[in-house]
Amino acid sequence: IVSAPGHTNLVLSLDKTSGTAFGVSDTPRDVEVCGALCKGSVWGGPEASKWFSSVLGIRCWLARHYERVDPRKQSGTGHTGKDSYSNEAALLVVSQRSISLLNSIIFSQGWGKQVDSRHFRPNIVISSMPSYGNDDYQQDSVNENYYPDRIHPEDFWVKIVISCEGTDLELSAIGKCARCQMVDIDPTSGMKGNTLRALAQYRRERGKINFGTFFAG
């Protein structure tokens, strides 16, 4: 069940045969996700397309990840590649310090409403940080606009450990998260801001604008 304010609920079946129940071919099509080309099948038919187009204000279709099967595999699922439209890793981590720094840039430039963690869709937000001196960090030679007061702590984390009831979960850093214009969208109002423009002032590296770090267990 998918819900949105001011709209009736959309009920979608997860059964793999439901995609063709509306007369829509399940032939895989090219789908681009965050610059990466992958495969997907149209899902939910005209009903789903009409619902999402109404909610988002643009004509669109719902796509389901196309699961490739390797016929050479005789055991297991036989699936290859990714199982979903996921990013480079399962978990995205950002720190509140990084968000506060970004908001200071937005405020100083007079670029409108400040942002919160929801703009970046992280799985984990680190809300408090130990105090570090500038000597604890090495200068980032990639970013020519590097300043010690503009450090994002998660850039330097190699591992993080989450402890709960005597059990530790260790996560390892995979890499930085390159952002697109989706971070400009206010998750509450749907209005577009200047988040990416502000990040570009100090977070551009090798043609990408990074914010947050991917981790995996």
Side-chain angles (χ1 to χ4, degrees), residues 5 40 51 111 116 156:
W51 193 91
W111 285 340
D116 59 38
F156 300 88

Side-chain angles (χ1 to χ4, degrees), residues 69-118:
V69 177
D70 188 345
R72 295 171 298 178
K73 292 189 176 182
Q74 301 300 320
S75 61
T77 63
H79 296 279
T80 61
K82 291 185 176 180
D83 290 328
S84 64
Y85 295 126
S86 60
N87 285 309
E88 289 89 331
L91 298 173
L92 175 62
V93 177
V94 302
S95 69
Q96 188 58 50
R97 169 175 172 152
S98 299
I99 297 170
S100 298
L101 171 57
L102 171 60
N103 279 328
S104 70
I105 302 295
I106 294 174
F107 177 79
S108 66
Q109 298 295 328
W111 285 340
K113 188 177 179 180
Q114 298 188 342
V115 302
D116 59 38
S117 62
R118 296 176 302 154

